[in-house]
Amino acid sequence: MHANVKLNVIPITNQGLKVACSECNMRELCLPFELTDNDMGRLDSLIGGGRKLKRGQHLYRAGDSFESIFAVKAGFFKTDVLTEDGRDQVTGFQMAGEILGMDGIGTEAHTCNAVALEDSEVCLIPFAELELLSSKIPSLQHNLHKVMSREIVRDHGVMMLLGTMRAEERLAAFLLNLSQRFTARGYSPAEFHLRMTREEIGSYLGLKLETVSRAFSRFQDEGLISVQQKHICILDIARLKAVLAPPGGRIG
Amino acid sequence: MHANVKLNVIPITNQGLKVACSECNMRELCLPFELTDNDMGRLDSLIGGGRKLKRGQHLYRAGDSFESIFAVKAGFFKTDVLTEDGRDQVTGFQMAGEILGMDGIGTEAHTCNAVALEDSEVCLIPFAELELLSSKIPSLQHNLHKVMSREIVRDHGVMMLLGTMRAEERLAAFLLNLSQRFTARGYSPAEFHLRMTREEIGSYLGLKLETVSRAFSRFQDEGLISVQQKHICILDIARLKAVLAPPGGRIG
DNA sequence: GAGTCGGGTTGACACAGATCAAAGGGGTGC
DNA sequence: GCACCCCTTTGATCTGTGTCAACCCGACTC
């Protein structure tokens, strides 16, 4: 698994590994962004070690009391919410360097489920201590606010997708978003493995799994991508982008 | 307009009025929640006065540089995002006591438009100063984090709505949400004026205005609500809730 | 007070995506 | 390494919502 980078790690508990932010290859995308070495050390000292999860394991569940947020160190997660009557909605997919759990701050309890979609590892960041430290390190405080703000903006993007786009546009937007995030992490922009099922993609995009499957097939027929199960190649990124923003604008 | 409470106010600029948080009837729903009198005073001192907006006026636009967040003191707003190709999506409606503008923190620029849907008034809260002060007042810092977290959770609720609900469920959820928020502000849970058009409701709910109109008519025919243009009475809140969570659960 | 205009309602029809169904294949667990 | 099961694909049909169109109403304007 690509993101599973070997580091000089100091074992702490049998549950996880301690890895310094300064040693982490995600530091530029994560909370420590642009912190001084000294401040990064202070952040390190509050991070309660790592936690490893097997595929399918829950990092937290809706209703769990909120104590920490989590930084994905390696692996891949989904978050979802579900209603009493059994509907569920995937609210996001998180990869290395992204923060999980901020939904819990407002109510002291998590409001969604977070599940590892492959064997993964997170850093546990006790939130009360993070608040305390961020009140002493302005740039850390600001980074936290930025991370939360970006989550809000990301959610607005999903609302736009769900509210205004048709099936193929949604899937194109999804693939381009993944591509861009993989690129930011040093992976190929064009070739990657999907960690989630068609049903999970569908839930995220507000579509049924059959519709997702059909859209994949259509894109493949048209030479935009190649699909082999979960393996995706983007063959013509320009035309894939054009699916999103049809030349000449939208009719209607 | 109900929320336009008369207070002993000190005029500051010709643009707005200075009103102390401690005098504001929204303080229990807003940033000052559970702050000591002393801390509330410190918060007051950074709030850069009020700003009044006429119906239709923009509070900020996507791309505007980000400097402040805003607390709605009175009135009603919508926020929306739009793409190059002309699609737009209403991302929320904000009423008194709610915070606007947090989308701008992450990128130093606003990412959506905020428009007054009726004559309104906001408090201007310079964000850099708020960060500085919140680093000195732990409960203020925590309140800010809670407000942002709740915005994330609210967005997840909208994603659920857009991703999994049918038209009438969406409208029922929308009406119940408004009802609950009006109640929290001391207004009738059952009777209120919509400040937005059918088209804006539709944009928010991912529906066309005709569909919204038809759903209103259907609810009225079934005796759940009465509709007269923008004036709504909820006649049978239990059955309206049942639209959302059909007894016996959802089929499929 | 007449005219205009934006917002709302309603009807007829079209179509994208859901639903139902069946079959094949690949990954996972034992 | 084998077997099973879940995931995926594809086809046929159905339906909720979009689209197009006509009309109504109330609020402003002049």
Side-chain angles (χ1 to χ4, degrees):
Chain A
M1 207 271 311
H2 297 159
N4 202 349
V5 175
K6 297 285 178 200
L7 297 169
N8 295 323
V9 294
I10 310 150
I12 292 203
T13 69
N14 58 359
Q15 232 198 356
L17 302 164
K18 179 84 177 177
V19 181
C21 288
S22 55
E23 303 287 323
C24 179
N25 57 342
M26 285 300 126
R27 66 184 178 280
E28 292 305 313
L29 294 165
C30 193
L31 270 183
F33 177 65
E34 285 187 347
L35 254 52
T36 65
D37 290 352
N38 182 34
D39 289 342
M40 220 180 282
R42 294 162 80 189
L43 177 57
D44 275 336
S45 68
L46 77 77
I47 290 182
R51 184 173 155 203
K52 292 191 177 223
L53 293 100
K54 287 276 170 203
R55 185 158 72 91
Q57 250 189 302
H58 281 254
L59 177 58
Y60 55 82
R61 290 168 197 272
D64 285 0
S65 87
F66 169 78
E67 264 130 44
S68 296
I69 60 175
F70 305 90
V72 181
K73 173 181 280 306
F76 211 90
F77 287 82
K78 72 166 177 184
T79 47
D80 62 3
V81 280
L82 42 110
T83 52
E84 331 71 68
D85 59 322
R87 276 178 274 199
D88 89 310
Q89 169 76 28
V90 171
T91 54
F93 298 106
Q94 295 80 19
M95 54 179 78
E98 294 175 339
I99 305 291
L100 274 161
M102 297 177 294
D103 56 282
I105 302 167
T107 52
E108 314 279 319
H110 287 288
T111 60
C112 64
N113 306 291
V115 187
L117 294 181
E118 61 182 17
D119 295 357
S120 299
E121 191 178 347
V122 298
C123 299
L124 210 140
I125 310 171
F127 193 70
E129 298 174 40
L130 179 61
E131 282 189 330
L132 190 60
L133 185 62
S134 76
S135 72
K136 294 175 191 147
I137 306 177
S139 54
L140 176 61
Q141 182 197 38
H142 195 58
N143 281 354
L144 174 60
H145 295 160
K146 279 185 162 179
V147 165
M148 295 187 75
S149 172
R150 291 207 193 101
E151 176 70 17
I152 292 170
V153 173
R154 188 192 70 81
D155 290 346
H156 289 175
V158 177
M159 287 166 62
M160 163 74 82
L161 179 147
L162 292 170
T164 74
M165 293 186 189
R166 38 192 52 251
E168 292 187 6
E169 293 171 333
R170 296 182 197 192
L171 189 64
F174 173 71
L175 291 173
L176 290 167
N177 174 270
L178 280 184
S179 165
Q180 178 245 305
R181 286 155 73 201
F182 281 127
T183 306
R185 282 156 185 79
Y187 304 122
S188 166
E191 196 172 354
F192 45 85
H193 272 278
L194 299 174
R195 272 75 171 182
M196 69 297 282
T197 66
R198 301 289 188 263
E199 185 168 21
E200 286 162 337
I201 297 172
S203 171
Y204 182 59
L205 299 179
L207 301 169
K208 293 295 163 186
L209 68 93
E210 295 95 329
T211 305
V212 173
S213 179
R214 279 185 240 273
F216 270 128
S217 299
R218 183 96 53 100
F219 284 167
Q220 181 161 245
D221 292 348
E222 290 173 359
L224 302 186
I225 64 175
S226 90
V227 187
Q228 236 158 350
Q229 299 291 118
K230 293 196 153 77
H231 187 79
I232 302 286
C233 280
I234 298 178
L235 302 174
D236 191 337
I237 198 159
R239 276 169 63 215
L240 195 60
K241 282 178 182 164
V243 171
L244 260 187
R250 205 173 158 65
I251 318 115
Chain B
M1 208 271 310
H2 297 161
N4 203 350
V5 175
K6 298 284 175 198
L7 297 169
N8 294 323
V9 294
I10 310 150
I12 295 205
T13 69
N14 58 0
Q15 234 200 350
L17 300 165
K18 179 85 179 179
V19 181
C21 288
S22 54
E23 304 288 324
C24 179
N25 58 342
M26 284 301 126
R27 65 183 178 280
E28 292 305 312
L29 293 164
C30 193
L31 270 184
F33 177 65
E34 286 186 347
L35 253 53
T36 66
D37 290 351
N38 181 36
D39 288 342
M40 222 180 278
R42 295 163 80 189
L43 177 57
D44 276 336
S45 67
L46 75 75
I47 290 181
R51 185 174 155 202
K52 292 191 177 224
L53 292 100
K54 287 275 168 203
R55 186 158 72 92
Q57 251 188 299
H58 276 76
L59 177 58
Y60 55 81
R61 290 168 195 272
D64 285 358
S65 89
F66 170 77
E67 263 129 44
S68 296
I69 60 176
F70 306 91
V72 180
K73 173 181 279 305
F76 210 91
F77 288 82
K78 73 166 178 183
T79 47
D80 64 0
V81 280
L82 44 109
T83 52
E84 331 72 67
D85 59 323
R87 276 178 274 200
D88 90 309
Q89 169 78 27
V90 171
T91 53
F93 298 106
Q94 295 80 20
M95 54 179 79
E98 296 175 338
I99 305 290
L100 275 161
M102 297 177 295
D103 56 282
I105 303 167
T107 53
E108 314 278 321
H110 287 288
T111 59
C112 63
N113 306 291
V115 187
L117 293 181
E118 63 183 15
D119 294 358
S120 299
E121 191 179 346
V122 298
C123 298
L124 211 141
I125 309 171
F127 193 70
E129 296 174 40
L130 179 62
E131 282 190 329
L132 190 59
L133 185 63
S134 77
S135 73
K136 293 173 190 148
I137 306 177
S139 53
L140 176 62
Q141 181 198 38
H142 195 57
N143 281 354
L144 174 60
H145 295 159
K146 278 184 163 177
V147 166
M148 295 188 74
S149 171
R150 291 208 194 102
E151 175 71 17
I152 291 169
V153 172
R154 187 192 71 81
D155 290 346
H156 289 174
V158 177
M159 287 167 60
M160 163 73 81
L161 179 147
L162 292 171
T164 73
M165 293 186 189
R166 38 191 54 250
E168 293 188 6
E169 293 171 332
R170 294 183 199 193
L171 189 65
F174 174 70
L175 291 173
L176 291 166
N177 175 268
L178 280 184
S179 165
Q180 178 245 306
R181 284 154 74 200
F182 281 126
T183 307
R185 283 157 185 77
Y187 304 123
S188 166
E191 196 172 353
F192 45 85
H193 272 279
L194 300 174
R195 272 75 170 182
M196 68 297 282
T197 66
R198 301 288 189 263
E199 186 169 20
E200 287 162 337
I201 296 172
S203 171
Y204 183 59
L205 299 179
L207 302 169
K208 291 296 161 185
L209 67 94
E210 295 94 330
T211 306
V212 173
S213 179
R214 279 184 241 272
F216 270 128
S217 299
R218 182 97 53 100
F219 285 167
Q220 181 162 243
D221 292 348
E222 291 173 357
L224 303 185
I225 64 175
S226 90
V227 187
Q228 237 159 348
Q229 300 289 117
K230 294 195 152 81
H231 187 80
I232 302 287
C233 280
I234 298 177
L235 302 174
D236 191 337
I237 198 159
R239 277 170 62 217
L240 195 60
K241 283 179 179 162
V243 172
L244 259 186
R250 204 174 159 62
I251 320 114

